[in-house]
Amino acid sequence: MLKNTLLKKLRLDNVFIPLLVVALSCTLLIASNYLTIKILSASRAYINGESHYSKGQKDATRHLTTYLLTSDSNEWQSFQRELSVPKGDKIARLGLINNAPIETIEAGLRAGRNNSEDFDDLIWLFKNFRSVSFFAEAIKEWENADLSIEKLAILGQNVNQKITAKSLTSSDKENILKKINTLSIELNQNEKAFSEKLSSGLRSIKNLLLLINIFFSLIIIGSVSIYYWVIVTKLKRSKTETEETNKSLTIVNKELDQFVYSASHDLRSPISSLKGLIEIMNTENNVTQLRAYLALMNQNLDKQDQFIKDIIEYSRNKKTKLAIKKVSLIQTIEEAINQNQFRQETKKISINKNLNIDSIDSDELKLKIIINNLLTNAIKYSDSGKENCYITINTYADDQGNKIVISDNGIGIKPEYQNKIFDMFFVTNNNNKGTGLGLYLVKDAIKTLNGTIEITSKINIGTKFTINLPKKYDQLIS
């Protein structure tokens, strides 16, 4: 009897070992993907910062040359203004090296025209990868460029002194122009080397992280397959078990099917795309094309990150109790617009607002979920083939309640899909932009608020969502 008990316990442990491996692998995979996204975001921020640095240096050089030839004081002021961009980046670099207060570092980054939303990523990459060879070499090129900028600043002071004293000769102009040209060449070389070293190192890191992703994905799929095989084997050996046990196993299998689908499709699909892009990049030498491939890789990672965020938002929405209070509808809409302003598609879209109501009784979190998801969808599914893309947001109150109407002239939704778009994990087959959770969260939030949503859509014409929310919640049970 003791022997049989031990054998049963061993088989039970064998069932849960693959689940434990899956849970651990998923945790590591999420951490790995988070690190990948973090590195890509930081590298994008540095490349963007380098472009501002380069533009500031080139504009400063141009203004100094014009000032040298025309003695126009406005050109001198423009030279100083543009030169403050690379000088600001130098302040940030020295602050990071010397562990200066965060305010000092951020002030330098701000002077360098870096986006404030990128500050954390810029600082994080510098502090954590400063000693890594590729990044150390890139920082060295940055330092050399700063020395040349200092020389350019001194040269500018000399030019200003001579022009102010009216002692500038033709010979002086020729010599100064040669020095400006020499410094420009040096700076261009430093800037180019900085980008090349940074890109080369980041490609190596992404390749490594891709291999890690593939490794853990294979572990997850293998473990799930083993787990599925163990369950099926136990079912075959348990035909005489009670009906209650069979029902429990059926539930487990349904949950397992959902998990296999999520793991093999939603997690593996972006990784497969990344692998394909890596193979293409290995044969590509054009820097511009390589950056385009990096952007595609970033899009794949963004989609996977969005899937994880949607799952978290779904869980958060389910667990959070309804909290009705006064909410600013105008502020909520503005926040949703600001969150989406850096999307590539947003640049071509005109967002029109006709907001006739502001303060309403509602749940702030659920209202944000509704507006942000609908606005994000309208942006993602805009029609790039149209010359004038627009999104219109109308708010007003009538006898039925508070109305929010979001319409666009995007690609539209086929009639056969219009009754399915609010289902969990439903995505149309004409794109791969969505995770299938956004509109489900919208419908769930509106239902919790005792509201309604209606859709009107035509292919190639556009889509309109009309949300009706109650004005009062005295009778609402949370």
Side-chain angles (χ1 to χ4, degrees):
M1 183 174 181
L2 179 61
K3 181 179 178 181
N4 291 335
T5 303
L6 289 173
L7 287 174
K8 288 181 180 179
K9 186 177 185 301
L10 182 60
R11 285 197 295 269
L12 189 65
D13 289 342
N14 286 338
V15 170
F16 286 101
I17 286 174
L19 284 179
L20 182 62
V21 173
V22 168
L24 181 60
S25 298
C26 284
T27 301
L28 293 174
L29 183 61
I30 291 171
S32 173
N33 280 313
Y34 173 78
L35 182 60
T36 303
I37 294 166
K38 188 81 169 174
I39 291 173
L40 285 170
S41 176
S43 63
R44 175 199 58 77
Y46 268 101
I47 290 172
N48 185 57
E50 187 277 329
S51 67
H52 288 303
Y53 187 106
S54 177
K55 185 178 185 303
Q57 168 257 311
K58 287 180 174 63
D59 288 344
T61 302
R62 176 171 53 82
H63 287 302
L64 180 59
T65 302
T66 305
Y67 180 54
L68 177 66
L69 298 175
T70 64
S71 300
D72 185 351
S73 60
N74 290 328
E75 293 296 328
W76 169 246
Q77 294 173 2
S78 297
F79 165 74
Q80 291 179 307
R81 183 182 65 251
E82 296 301 327
L83 200 64
S84 66
V85 175
K87 283 184 174 181
D89 284 332
K90 178 183 178 181
I91 293 171
R93 177 178 62 81
L94 293 176
L96 286 165
I97 291 173
N98 298 319
N99 293 319
I102 191 67
E103 294 79 8
T104 301
I105 297 170
E106 289 183 348
L109 292 173
R110 193 172 292 106
R113 295 177 183 167
N114 295 280
N115 194 304
S116 59
E117 294 186 1
D118 293 332
F119 286 179
D120 289 341
D121 288 340
L122 290 166
I123 295 169
W124 175 83
L125 189 65
F126 193 101
K127 289 186 175 181
N128 289 279
F129 287 80
R130 176 183 170 188
S131 300
V132 179
S133 59
F134 81 92
F135 197 69
E137 292 172 359
I139 293 173
K140 185 64 179 176
E141 293 295 338
W142 185 358
E143 181 182 351
N144 292 335
D146 284 343
L147 292 175
S148 296
I149 290 293
E150 199 61 40
K151 292 177 183 178
L152 186 63
I154 294 172
L155 185 61
Q157 292 293 341
N158 291 337
V159 170
N160 185 51
Q161 289 174 1
K162 288 182 178 292
I163 289 176
T164 302
K166 297 183 179 181
S167 62
L168 186 66
T169 65
S170 298
S171 177
D172 290 335
K173 290 181 179 181
E174 291 180 4
N175 290 332
I176 291 170
L177 285 172
K178 289 179 181 179
K179 290 180 180 179
I180 291 174
N181 185 57
T182 300
L183 287 173
S184 295
I185 293 172
E186 291 176 359
L187 283 163
N188 288 336
Q189 291 173 345
N190 292 140
E191 292 157 359
K192 182 179 179 181
F194 175 87
S195 295
E196 289 177 348
K197 293 181 186 299
L198 191 62
S199 298
S200 175
L202 290 172
R203 281 195 296 273
S204 299
I205 290 176
K206 287 194 290 290
N207 289 340
L208 176 60
L209 291 173
L210 177 62
L211 292 175
I212 292 173
N213 281 342
I214 294 172
F215 174 75
F216 284 120
S217 295
L218 291 175
I219 289 179
I220 291 171
I221 294 169
S223 299
V224 169
S225 300
I226 292 172
Y227 179 67
Y228 188 84
W229 178 82
V230 170
I231 292 296
V232 170
T233 302
K234 286 191 68 177
L235 285 171
K236 289 179 179 179
R237 294 176 181 176
S238 304
K239 290 181 180 179
T240 58
E241 289 183 354
T242 64
E243 185 178 356
E244 182 180 352
T245 302
N246 286 330
K247 288 181 179 179
S248 298
L249 288 173
T250 301
I251 293 172
V252 169
N253 274 306
K254 288 182 179 179
E255 293 175 348
L256 176 62
D257 287 339
Q258 292 177 351
F259 181 78
V260 171
Y261 174 82
S262 179
S264 62
H265 185 272
D266 294 291
L267 291 176
R268 192 181 180 193
S269 178
I271 295 171
S272 299
S273 299
L274 286 174
K275 185 179 179 182
L277 287 169
I278 291 286
E279 291 176 357
I280 295 173
M281 289 173 67
N282 286 333
T283 62
E284 182 63 65
N285 295 319
N286 186 289
V287 174
T288 301
Q289 190 60 45
L290 287 172
R291 288 180 178 174
Y293 291 143
L294 286 175
L296 290 174
M297 294 171 72
N298 195 29
Q299 289 176 10
N300 278 282
L301 289 169
D302 281 345
K303 182 179 179 182
Q304 191 168 24
D305 183 52
Q306 186 60 48
F307 178 76
I308 295 170
K309 287 179 179 177
D310 284 346
I311 292 293
I312 293 172
E313 188 172 68
Y314 168 73
S315 176
R316 182 185 176 194
N317 184 43
K318 284 294 186 183
K319 292 179 180 179
T320 304
K321 293 183 179 179
L322 204 63
I324 301 299
K325 63 178 183 179
K326 291 292 182 183
V327 181
S328 172
L329 194 54
I330 293 176
Q331 181 179 343
T332 303
I333 291 171
E334 289 297 334
E335 287 177 358
I337 293 173
N338 290 335
Q339 288 177 19
N340 287 278
Q341 65 179 327
F342 297 108
R343 285 181 173 272
Q344 186 66 30
E345 305 97 322
T346 308
K347 298 177 182 178
K348 297 177 61 178
I349 300 173
S350 174
I351 299 179
N352 308 312
K353 294 172 290 183
N354 185 18
L355 311 180
N356 296 307
I357 54 173
D358 183 15
S359 181
I360 64 172
D361 292 332
S362 189
D363 181 287
E364 186 174 13
L365 172 62
K366 288 175 172 52
L367 194 61
K368 286 181 178 180
I369 288 173
I370 294 166
I371 294 173
N372 190 60
N373 276 291
L374 289 177
L375 182 60
T376 301
N377 261 31
I379 292 171
K380 285 196 298 186
Y381 298 110
S382 60
D383 191 343
S384 59
K386 292 178 181 175
E387 183 176 353
N388 297 316
C389 297
Y390 67 81
I391 297 171
T392 301
I393 305 173
N394 292 326
T395 63
Y396 60 94
D398 59 16
D399 294 338
Q400 296 178 340
N402 295 317
K403 296 290 180 68
I404 304 171
V405 182
I406 299 179
S407 56
D408 61 67
N409 65 337
I411 61 176
I413 303 171
K414 293 181 178 179
E416 61 265 30
Y417 294 147
Q418 292 180 21
N419 291 329
K420 301 178 181 179
I421 58 173
F422 296 108
D423 294 344
M424 181 183 285
F425 295 122
F426 177 80
V427 292
T428 60
N429 58 6
N430 62 343
N431 66 81
N432 62 351
K433 297 179 180 179
T435 64
L437 276 176
L439 289 178
Y440 173 82
L441 291 171
V442 169
K443 181 74 172 181
D444 188 66
I446 292 174
K447 182 179 178 182
T448 306
L449 291 171
N450 275 6
T452 61
I453 182 169
E454 297 177 0
I455 176 175
T456 305
S457 183
K458 291 184 179 180
I459 288 295
N460 299 324
I461 301 297
T463 302
K464 180 172 76 172
F465 289 96
T466 302
I467 300 101
N468 183 65
L469 298 176
K471 292 182 179 179
K472 299 293 182 182
Y473 286 88
D474 297 336
Q475 305 298 322
L476 189 62
I477 300 175
S478 61

